[in-house]
Amino acid sequence: MIEPTILPPVEHPNAPLEHIRCVLVGTTHTGNLGSAARAMKTMGLTRLELANPRHPPDAQALAYAAGADDLLQRAGIHADLVGALAGCRLAIGTSARPRSLAWPLLEPAAAARLLLAEAALGEVALVFGRENSGLTNDELGCCHQLVQIPTDPGFSSLNLGAAVQVLAYEIRRAWREGQAEPLAPPPRELATAEAMAGFHTHLAQTLLEIGFADPNQSTQLLMRLRNLFNRARPDRVELNILRGILSAAQGRKGARRPAEAPPPAADPHPKEPHV
Ligand code: SAH
């Protein structure tokens, strides 16, 4: 364990890099904590957070940090990933292998641009997994996107410190190029405006039927929900799932069926949508 020292406040000529934290989850080898700190510091990243490390930073970590001691000393240690992500508006997970889930997968350069664009607005995180098993599905569930460093398909797993270095370099490169403008919208079939309108009418109707919303006081609630779904920008399949859930909720309550209360949208409310 490194002795805590009182350090001077960090100065940030590198805005918005200081809003980008690297989170290492369940790291086994303390040398990798040091390598990651060194990799970060060379690229101007200063925020290291450790989620449930096997051991806290020690002498071996310091040796591998090769001068990036301050990052290790400042590193927050958290019980789990959720704690390490506190306050973050965006978390991008890293993965050495393709996942079976249909996860939005970014190239390193695109991930770097997204992190920078969002770091201008608040705290963001890049999340790295365990040396032997990476991130669990639950941990990936805390991440909005996934980034994979393209490798030889037959040998895709980089050393943890090396993965931090590659992605930290991409962030620095994007930062130097001033590419912090928001990304183009992802190439997925977003729900159309009319489908969204239909969904919101269906949602409002369902909330009344199940007794969640008060007919006289639900405007604020509905507006908040609308904002929520607008931020999420669901695609067609996701919207179908939501419609299916609403239909199921209406059915369970024995509420009016869509035939009696004409549904707002043309598309049906499938109970078991095809995903
Ligand atoms: N056997 C593990 C590999 C872990 S390597 C697995 O199958 O997931 C340790 C960590 O380094 C990974 O969790 C990830 O954070 C990072 N990493 C290694 N190779 C990577 C790659 N090709 N792309 C992105 N991150 C990688």
Side-chain angles (χ1 to χ4, degrees), residues 18 53 60 69 74 85 99 172 212 228 260 263:
E18 75 270 17
Q60 174 155 276
D69 309 17
R74 284 198 178 90
L85 291 179
R99 300 281 172 162
R172 184 154 197 92
F212 185 81
L228 169 69
E260 300 162 47

Side-chain angles (χ1 to χ4, degrees), residues 158-183:
L158 279 75
N159 162 266
L160 176 56
V164 173
Q165 186 73 76
V166 170
L167 293 170
Y169 170 68
E170 286 291 351
I171 291 169
R172 184 154 197 92
R173 197 167 70 149
W175 178 73
R176 291 185 68 216
E177 288 171 3
Q179 292 178 333
E181 73 274 6
L183 283 182

